[in-house]
Structures are given as structure tokens and as C-alpha cells.
Amino acid sequence: MERSMKLDKITLGTCYYPEHWPEEMWEEDLQRMLENGIEVIRIAEFAWSKIEPREGEFTYEFFDRFLEKAEKAGMKVIFCTPSATPPAWLTNKYPEVLNANMDGVLYRHGCRRHYNYNSPKYQELVTRIAEKSAAHYASHPAIIGWQIDNELNCEKNEFYSESDTIAFRVFLKKKYHTLDALNEAWGTVFWNQTYTDWEEIYVPRPTPSNATNPHEVLDYVRFVSDSTCFFAKMQSDILKKYVKPGDFITTNGLFGNLDNHRMTEESLDFITYDSYPNFAYCLDSYESEKDGLRDRKWSRNLAEARAVSPVFGIMEQQSGANGWNTRMEAPTPKPGQMTLWTMQSIGHGADYVSYFRWRTCTMGTEIYWHGILDYSGRDNRRLAEVKQIHKMVGALEPVTGSHYRAEVGIVKDYDNLWDAGLDMWHQRVDRESSKSLFAACQKTHTPFDFCYLDHMRAEDLFRYKVLFYPHATIVTSEMSEKLTAYVEQGGCLVLGCRTGYKDETGKCVMSRLPGLLQPLTGTDIPEYTFVSPADGTVYADWDGVQIEACIFNDLLEPLTEQARVEARYVSSYYAGTPALISNAKGKGRVFYFGGAFHEHTARVFLEKLGVAQPYGDILALPEGCELTVRESTDQSRYFFVMNYLEETAEICLKEVFLDLFEGKEAEGKLELPPYGTKVLAKINSINR
Ligand code: GAL
């Protein structure tokens, strides 16, 4: 059975810090939250010292008093383990628990997330406080679930402490058994890096030109992910012993160098995401914005959350301005934006949305990170908006538990994700194509899912009409088998340049390219090149449509009779050479494109392959609106139409829908105000 929050309705919550406010305020705060539609709070993720103020001295009074008030008020609580912020007594006495930068300099007390996952001492002390907290609080009637830590791998997702080096050696011994195997996998014969003793191996350290052996770094990232998963599991194994039946275990955020799927499978009931679309309006990111999507880009992150847990939660949803005292200067959400961003989360599959935070903190690094209430706590516009959102969410009850629906998939896997993190050549094509495919899907109102190949069976892919796997530079035989099965049963797979030239160690293969995928693609790549800015833009002609083949070009040749040249380059010294080849395989077809996908190119693919605008015949929307679709088990569909524009958008319903917010049927032209959302239902409609 799918593991989710098991809510009977879409629910609102907030993050509350009882330790930040005088106790006399608690009751009134709880009361006010409930009056405004907030039914769940998350507490205690940074409050280690309130439970263990001195080493080995445990006291439960503080949260006992708070939980008693919460229970009396009828407030439900998500309780956290406090491992994100070890107390000063701990880091001072046991500096080995601290994380370090690559130079080995320790990160000290004063901020947060300054610990490492591999220190046996930290593991011991975290285990103890998690066990004590769970044993004491888990049976409390106000508690409905647990959050482990806070944002694992946020702040820092690289670890260079001595404990990490020791654990890295253990990880490598388990993986390779012998130094010969490790030397072979890492290609250490290059530049005389051969290891003769395990003690010679360290987590990456500073090297000239910052260019540490890439195969070593790839294993190091796998190791960081492994350490994070271990740390989460260590805590979840404890919590599982104590949680009441029906209570859940989760953690929040999606950060780098972490296999979030594995962590969720091993340790959580579902993932929760922290959604801050207002980052789009931060001074430092605003300038670099090019595709006009701004806050809509958070839909990409929500698609990532959904790829981990189809029905997920938002543990922290934007409710005020961004801002630390050191960075992230951004405005207050405009009237309607909190509603829009809440609907964005729900439209993508969230059934729980919890605002960060109830009151704006008056002290510390986050004095400018605003919550619902400002410093004074007076009633304000944002609180009124929460109350309004609560009313709207009441109308969305039938949407609860339904799944996002997409016919297009963008395939990913962790090895390629991590390889793109360290290999600039891979990163450049990957960034361009993922940004472009997302933008093209958004602007053509084509819902898509991220499909993590390393966590899906071939059968899970069969429901997608088209899969894009833009630049799988690392390809293994297992991956190739899944992709072949997908195509053979009738799927359409689109690959981009630089596919299949590495094995799982990150070393280049010596077979003809695209390596293991040559039989599937029926394509050969006798030559390839980076596109120099001096060459200008390279185009290919696809039946009269010019598409850009940016960044890197594979020059293609068909290998089989079924392989058809679809497009040829029209510029550079390779004008006339095939740029796109399609190959029939079983009931399906695979396309190999020799470039990275520019936004226009991605759009042409969606259109030519017949998957753009799947709902164009029943709904017409301007580009500035997003469309998401959730479908329940009885096949009722809920179309979320969200206007991100600062002006009124005109939408046209070409059929009769049930407008959930209005509670009546709607058809024809409708106006959607700035930041407005409509949820239009087709109850029990079988596939159109
Ligand atoms: C999140 C974090 C919160 C708070 C918020 C605003 O990443 O989980 O604790 O720091 O950002 O900065």
C-alpha cells in the first residue's frame, strides 16, 4: 500500500517554536492558529537543549507543558528529533562531531548543521536523545508524526572530517574488497595515483587546479549519500519502536548528494518538501532569470518531491519575505501569492501544506525571514490570506489522495545526476536540457513526471507515451535493459548527445558510441565535438523546422535498415550530417538527437511526437498559466489552472467542468485574476 500521510482532507499547518516565545503566549497562539485554519504544527527540530541541557541530563517538562496545551486546544503536532543543531556543550567537548571544509578546518558552533554523520560519538549522542524523546513523547495523543533532523544535506552536503575519511575507507573496502579493484575502478595509473594501503585514501583534499580524480569523487558523492541514508535510518529505526500506530515518520527538504528515494524507502513513510518560490524574487537570482518562469520553477522541485512520494507534504511553505541577516534579500509575497504557491504545491500532489513560520523571529540569523505574523504579532494581511486559503482548501476535499497525471516522463538517475555535479562537460548539457524541457512542458501545458530509472521497474515506465532521457552519459546494462523493454512494448524514447560514453565508474568506454545503447538506437557516432562559441549557433533541419542543437554535437550515422535520418545539421563543417535518427524497435521507437535541447528544440519534440498540450481540446490557457492534473482512483480528474501573471488571464473551457471553488458548473470564457487559481473537475470521467 502506498505510504502517505493518510489525511482525510487537505490540511494546513505551520512551524512553531515554543522555545522562542514566552509561555504565556502559547495558548493564545494555538487558539489563533486554529481560528485561522491551521490544524497541525511542527515543533522542536532545533531544541536539543530543551531536552538535554547538559550532557546526560534529560528533562521533559518544557515540551510536556507545551504538548498539554496543544492537546487541550485540539492542535495536532509533528515532533522532531533535534540532530540538526547539536548544543554548545556537545561540540565543545567532542569537536570530532564537527564537519570540516576541504582544508580540514572545522565548522564551529554558531550556525546550524555543523556536524558530520560519521562521528561515532555523534551517532551515540543522537541515538540517545532520539530514543529518550521517542520513548517519552511518542505516545502523546497530540502527536501525529515525526520529522527526523531538519533538511539533511542543507547548508553543507560535503563532509571532510576525520570521521568521514575513516568511514570512507570502510565504504570503499565494502565496495571493492581489494585495493587492486579500487585502483582499477579509479584509473589510478593515470598521474601515478596508485594506492598501496587503505590508509593512503582520504576524502577529497585540496589538489592543484582543484581537479581530484573524478572516479574517486563520484564514489565520494555516493559515500556522502550512503552516510546520510545511514544517519536517517539510524534515527528512523529508533522512532519505529515507539511511534503510535498510524503516526508517520518523515523528513523535510530535497538536497544534493543524497539518494532521496533510497532514504525514503529505507526510513520514511513519505517525503516532505520545503517550498520557497519567493527565491525567484531574491536580488541575486532575479537578475539571472531568462525564461520568464520565475516562481513557476518551483514546480520542477515539486515534481522532484512527487517522484519520491506521489502524495507528499510541504513541511515549510513560503508565507513571508526571504532573508537572513547575511543574504537572501527578497520582498514580501504580494497579495494572492501565498495562495498561488499553496495551490502550486497542492496541484503537484501535496495533501499537507505547512507555512514557515507562525511568527517572525526577533533574534538570530533569520530575523528577516518572515512568517505569517510580523514581529508584533498583530493581525495582518497574510494571516487573513491563510484564513481564506483554508476556506478554499475545504472545497478541495475530493482531491485528497489523488495522483498527479502525466504522459511525458523525464528520466533521471542518481549516478548521472552526481556525475553532472562534478563533470563540467556533462553538467553543461544537462543544465541546458533540463531547464529547457521543463520550460517547454510548462509553456505548452504538458504535465510531466521525473522518472528515476534506478528506482523504477521497466513496467513503471510503460504508462508514459514519451520519455526524454537527455544525457545519460553513464549507462549500465541494467539501465539499457529497462529502456529497451520500454521501447519494445511501444514507448517512445528520446535521447540527447553524450549518451552512453561512460561506465558506472565514470570512465569512458572503448566501444562504439553510444556504447551499450547502440543496438537500441541503431545509431553510430563516428565523431563528436563541443560547439565553440566561435562557430555560432548550430541548427539542424527536421522536415523544414530548424531546431537548435546547442552546446555539444554528436555526428550521427544510421546503422540499421529501420534507422531513419530525421534531421541533418545545416551549419558548421558537418552540415549535411545526420543530427537526429529514429529507430524502430519492437512496438516502439527511439530517437537519438545529436545536441543538447534548447527550449525551442524541446518544444518541437513535444509537438512532433504528439504529446504537447494533451488537454488543448478541452482547455485553452495563456502561456503564463500553469496546468497540473490530479487523478483519483475513480478516475475523476482535477485540473489546477494557476495564473502566475500580474494581470488577469483569460481561459477558455471548451467543455463543461465543475468549478470546485464556486461549487457550480462552468463553461466558456473565464477570467482568472492575477495569482488566481481555478480547480476544475471532471468527476468520474474515463480517459478522454
Ligand atoms: C529552511 C529551513 C528552516 C528555515 C528556512 C528559512 O531551509 O528548514 O529552518 O531556515 O529555510 O531560511
Side-chain angles (χ1 to χ4, degrees), residues 46 112 150-151 274 276 316 324 356 366 369:
F46 303 124
R112 64 176 173 185
N150 187 75
E151 297 194 330
D274 297 340
Y276 291 105
E316 299 178 13
W324 281 16
F356 184 83
E366 292 196 333
W369 201 291

Side-chain angles (χ1 to χ4, degrees), residues 247-272:
D247 286 5
F248 57 81
I249 301 172
T250 185
T251 191
N252 59 331
L254 292 173
F255 293 90
N257 295 353
L258 173 56
D259 181 337
N260 286 295
H261 285 76
R262 175 182 157 195
M263 177 175 70
T264 305
E265 283 154 20
E266 287 177 355
S267 306
L268 312 176
D269 289 303
F270 55 88
I271 197 89
T272 59

Side-chain angles (χ1 to χ4, degrees), residues 12-238:
L12 300 183
T14 193
C15 307
Y16 191 58
Y17 297 88
E19 67 276 22
H20 293 178
W21 313 106
E23 290 199 24
E24 307 81 72
M25 283 171 81
W26 292 351
E27 238 170 78
E28 194 196 325
D29 272 351
L30 290 164
Q31 217 44 60
R32 253 174 112 197
M33 289 173 198
L34 288 161
E35 280 160 16
N36 287 283
I38 287 172
E39 296 172 79
V40 180
I41 53 174
R42 178 200 61 181
I43 61 168
E45 75 274 23
F46 303 124
W48 187 314
S49 296
K50 289 286 175 202
I51 297 173
E52 191 183 5
R54 274 165 294 277
E55 186 173 3
E57 254 179 52
F58 290 88
T59 155
Y60 306 101
E61 285 77 33
F62 182 82
F63 284 113
D64 277 349
R65 285 200 301 279
F66 180 77
L67 286 170
E68 197 189 315
K69 289 206 164 29
E71 187 193 352
K72 214 161 128 214
M75 180 63 80
K76 300 186 189 91
V77 176
I78 301 171
F79 204 87
C80 304
T81 65
S83 47
T85 46
W89 59 254
L90 194 161
T91 53
N92 204 40
K93 181 161 175 201
Y94 305 109
E96 70 266 33
V97 310
L98 296 170
N99 187 14
N101 71 11
M102 205 193 241
D103 293 322
V105 178
L106 297 179
Y107 292 115
R108 297 293 183 171
H109 196 79
C111 187
R112 64 176 173 185
R113 304 210 54 77
H114 42 301
Y115 69 90
N116 70 68
Y117 299 124
N118 286 305
S119 149
K121 192 41 135 186
Y122 200 52
Q123 291 172 359
E124 176 196 321
L125 296 175
V126 168
T127 300
R128 186 170 67 177
I129 193 160
E131 183 105 35
K132 294 266 185 195
S133 299
H136 184 83
Y137 296 115
S139 59
H140 198 286
I143 290 181
I144 60 162
W146 285 75
Q147 174 185 301
I148 292 172
D149 201 285
N150 187 75
E151 297 194 330
L152 293 160
N153 282 10
C154 177
E155 250 73 85
K156 294 285 165 209
N157 58 22
E158 293 173 10
F159 298 82
Y160 301 104
S161 71
E162 283 175 19
S163 310
D164 292 306
T165 284
I166 294 167
F168 189 37
R169 290 175 190 152
V170 173
F171 171 86
L172 294 170
K173 274 187 203 164
K174 201 166 147 208
K175 177 164 184 175
Y176 293 111
H177 307 291
T178 67
L179 277 174
D180 284 348
L182 177 140
N183 281 316
E184 172 64 25
W186 288 6
T188 53
V189 66
F190 179 78
W191 284 351
N192 200 38
Q193 292 165 5
T194 306
Y195 294 103
T196 55
D197 191 320
W198 293 98
E199 304 291 303
E200 294 160 7
I201 300 172
Y202 293 80
V203 290
R205 293 180 295 178
T207 53
S209 309
N210 259 336
T212 305
N213 179 320
H215 320 296
E216 173 188 340
V217 180
L218 185 57
D219 266 343
Y220 167 72
V221 176
R222 290 173 175 139
F223 158 75
V224 170
S225 172
D226 191 69
S227 305
T228 320
C229 288
F230 170 84
F231 191 73
K233 186 163 186 311
M234 181 187 91
Q235 299 202 40
S236 135
D237 284 349
I238 296 164

